Amino acid sequence: MSRLQVVSGKGGTGKTTVAAALALALATEGKRTLLVEVEGRQGIAQLFETEALPYEERKIAVAPGGGEVYALAIDPELALLDYLQMFYKLGGAGRALRKLGAIDFATTVAPGLRDVLLTGKACEAVRRKDKSGRFAYDYVVMDAPPTGRITRFLNVNDEVAGLAKIGPIHNQAQAVMRVLKSPETAVHLVTLLEEMPVQETADGIAELRAARLPVGRVIVNMVRPEVLDAADLELVRTVPRSSLARTLSAAGLGGARRGGNAERLVDPLLQQAAEYAERYALEQEQRAVLGELGLPLHELPLLAEGMDLAGLYELATELREQGMS
């Protein structure tokens, strides 16, 4: 598995949930994973039922087997201060610039700079080693921006490196792109079995490939359980109404007389079956589209009880069992 796992997806597909579950799945057998948030929504804190994350790496969960998950919500302003200190040793001068509003101004008027800082901080965590020479984290999982802007977000350092021909900014941008365009990185796309998310996933993969960014896997989230398969649906379509009424009656669902409870159940059941058949056909169509993308495909179930911490661990187990660890 690549050491930097980037998770993107169309809004509403549950990419933050998948990123969190993936971080748990990877933090098995004593591994250490850093889960990075870059959009300032504090979605990770909500999922792990903890207080808002500060701009520091904080342990938020223990995975099965004793692994640890740390989390970091990257603040662009503070990341810029880190950058100024690292390369220009500004120290107190950098803090003074922040008080004057210069840092906020710089990160607001230059959105590309924000992306450079966000990706740079994540890549720094990937490369960081402890005193013994071991990597500080076995994996870094980034809850990245949505599919519509993931390629530009990850590729912004290439643009910066082209603009700044020399100096620390150029060198930093090149170092980040060496990580992002290497086998150390995998960009996963989260989708639903619906036409618009699947189309956006296909478009996003094409853009990532055109930018020579490493595409990982497609993760289909919130998959509803299969109640009837194709053979069952064909049987429902062809079975006579009278046979269905007799079967219902034999099951104790009303008398056999005309107008009895069994008769009254036939139309609603057939209507439900028709609606299910339509959804089943649409989902099969979308699976076929995803299958043509040539990437490993994983499916995560829709949790009937809704998403909570227990559900997050359940999804992590699903990902491990499907080979994403």
Side-chain angles (χ1 to χ4, degrees):
M1 293 290 288
S2 301
R3 296 191 58 250
L4 175 58
Q5 306 274 315
V6 179
V7 180
S8 180
K10 179 177 170 58
T13 59
K15 70 176 180 64
T16 299
T17 299
V18 172
L22 179 58
L24 277 171
L26 292 170
T28 55
E29 300 177 3
K31 298 288 196 303
R32 284 165 54 95
T33 301
L34 177 64
L35 177 58
V36 175
E37 181 176 81
V38 300
E39 294 185 280
R41 296 184 295 106
Q42 290 292 337
I44 292 172
Q46 294 174 30
L47 282 170
F48 284 94
E49 301 174 6
T50 186
E51 60 188 22
L53 297 173
Y55 181 59
E56 64 182 39
E57 293 159 21
R58 172 181 292 179
K59 186 166 76 171
I60 58 171
V62 176
E68 297 175 330
V69 176
Y70 287 74
L72 170 66
I74 303 178
D75 182 302
E77 292 183 40
L78 296 176
L80 180 53
L81 287 175
D82 283 350
Y83 179 88
L84 293 174
Q85 173 60 22
M86 184 182 304
F87 291 106
Y88 297 102
K89 309 300 181 186
L90 289 186
R95 290 190 293 274
L97 286 172
R98 188 186 187 199
K99 289 181 179 179
L100 291 171
I103 301 298
D104 178 62
F105 177 78
T107 56
T108 300
V109 301
L113 175 59
R114 293 174 65 91
D115 293 349
V116 167
L117 297 167
L118 295 170
T119 54
K121 187 66 177 177
C123 289
E124 182 275 326
V126 172
R127 298 192 302 262
R128 191 192 313 156
K129 294 183 178 181
D130 59 24
K131 293 180 180 179
S132 67
R134 296 184 58 183
F135 286 114
Y137 295 102
D138 297 287
Y139 299 100
V140 175
V141 179
M142 180 194 292
D143 176 23
T147 316
R149 75 179 197 93
I150 184 62
T151 300
R152 180 169 177 78
F153 172 78
L154 294 176
N155 215 36
V156 69
N157 289 276
D158 244 1
E159 299 176 18
V160 171
L163 292 173
K165 299 297 185 183
I166 58 172
I169 294 178
H170 173 83
N171 295 336
Q172 169 72 358
Q174 282 199 322
V176 170
M177 291 314 300
R178 279 196 294 272
V179 173
L180 294 179
K181 291 192 173 183
S182 77
E184 280 190 288
T185 298
V187 185
H188 309 301
L189 280 298
V190 181
T191 186
L192 306 177
L193 287 176
E194 298 173 6
E195 186 174 0
M196 287 186 63
V198 167
Q199 185 58 55
E200 189 163 314
T201 297
D203 293 342
I205 289 170
E207 290 177 2
L208 289 165
R209 285 171 169 165
R212 295 181 293 110
L213 289 160
V215 185
R217 308 179 185 206
V218 175
I219 303 168
V220 183
N221 196 24
M222 294 186 273
V223 176
R224 286 171 285 194
E226 186 177 278
V227 179
L228 303 172
D229 60 18
D232 294 328
L233 290 170
E234 178 62 20
L235 179 62
V236 170
R237 191 181 67 82
T238 58
V239 68
R241 288 174 52 86
S242 57
S243 297
L244 182 56
R246 285 195 299 271
T247 301
L248 291 171
S249 181
L253 296 174
R257 70 185 188 281
R258 187 169 184 82
N261 290 336
E263 282 280 349
R264 289 198 296 269
L265 288 174
V266 171
D267 285 337
L269 284 174
L270 290 176
Q271 178 63 30
Q272 283 192 347
E275 292 172 358
Y276 179 84
E278 182 179 2
R279 175 167 65 84
Y280 180 87
L282 290 173
E283 290 179 348
Q284 292 302 100
E285 288 176 10
Q286 299 313 311
R287 280 193 176 94
V289 173
L290 293 172
E292 293 173 357
L293 298 175
L295 294 172
L297 189 64
H298 303 268
E299 294 193 3
L300 293 175
L302 174 66
L303 300 180
E305 301 300 320
M307 180 52 59
D308 57 12
L309 195 54
L312 201 57
Y313 276 85
E314 183 179 337
L315 294 183
T317 298
E318 286 278 350
L319 288 172
R320 283 199 302 273
E321 291 177 350
Q322 293 182 39
M324 287 199 70
S325 63

